[in-house]
Amino acid sequence: MTEAEQAIGTPEAGKAEEGAAASGDGARPGRGRRIAVLLAVAAFAYLIDLGSKLLVVAKLEHHDAVDVIGTWLQFKVIRNKGAAFGFGEAMTIVFTVIAVGVIVVIARLARKLYSLPWAIALGLLLGGAFGNLTDRVFRAPGGLQGAVVDFIAPRNYAVFNLADSAIVCGGILIVILSFRGLDPDGTVHKD
């Protein structure tokens, strides 16, 4: 069986993995690589988000918006205590707790992770959650109530950041994987 078959979770891959587990090997092949992919994707998403926020705060905060594609897409720094579209600005601590919860759920799911696409999706979610959590912990006013730095401003849409983009992309990938019947453990099911 090829690595690609294991990555997409073919029925044959699931049977081979079940056989390995039943034979007393204890662990299915490939799990360590999937965890490494999850952590690499999360680190990449986190570092790109962190670097972009440091750059825009240093260069763009307290300045006029910068046109990227006319007025259709601009860079302008805002501090967002809430969620998308400024929703829930009085509930900053709730969003902090949600981010921590997402991180805990991903850590628990990682124990059963044998699917490469799921590793990528969860890595995007993890990196994005850590990116926004870093803002909530370390940016003013601090104490788990910091404002998130948003700076990507499409016209007539919410201002967002790269952590938000990673979370959305990871979420979309999870929906696609779920519709295709691929589970995090690499098995495919038909509903």
Side-chain angles (χ1 to χ4, degrees):
M1 172 181 4
T2 67
E3 171 124 356
E5 289 174 324
Q6 288 179 340
I8 61 170
T10 62
E12 292 80 20
K15 290 176 188 172
E17 290 168 350
E18 288 171 12
S23 68
D25 292 335
R28 295 186 203 167
R31 179 173 170 254
R33 287 181 290 214
R34 305 308 182 261
I35 299 294
V37 168
L38 183 152
L39 294 175
V41 169
F44 179 76
Y46 176 75
L47 292 173
I48 293 295
D49 177 65
L50 181 63
S52 67
K53 288 174 181 175
L54 291 171
L55 182 64
V56 299
V57 166
K59 301 290 185 184
L60 299 178
E61 193 166 39
H62 309 300
H63 292 86
D64 292 335
V66 174
D67 292 342
V68 178
I69 304 173
T71 58
W72 288 95
L73 178 65
Q74 299 178 321
F75 288 160
K76 65 179 178 182
V77 177
I78 66 163
R79 302 291 181 120
N80 184 0
K81 291 184 177 186
F85 300 100
F87 169 76
E89 287 192 5
M91 301 184 329
T92 304
I93 194 78
V94 172
F95 297 118
T96 304
V97 170
I98 290 170
V100 170
V102 166
I103 292 166
V104 169
V105 167
I106 292 170
R108 291 183 55 89
L109 275 174
R111 294 183 300 153
K112 298 186 271 183
L113 185 63
Y114 293 94
S115 166
L116 182 60
W118 271 93
I120 293 167
L122 293 175
L124 289 168
L125 287 177
L126 184 62
F130 265 120
N132 284 337
L133 183 61
T134 298
D135 283 355
R136 301 262 185 226
V137 171
F138 294 108
R139 296 204 188 269
L144 304 180
Q145 297 184 28
V148 172
V149 173
D150 288 332
F151 63 92
I152 303 169
R155 184 166 41 174
N156 300 324
Y157 195 72
V159 181
F160 60 95
N161 58 46
L162 295 178
D164 299 334
S165 297
I167 291 167
V168 168
C169 290
I172 290 170
L173 184 53
I174 286 171
V175 169
I176 292 168
L177 295 172
S178 296
F179 275 118
R180 292 189 66 203
L182 179 60
D183 291 334
D185 66 0
T187 59
V188 178
H189 64 275
K190 305 280 186 201
D191 285 13

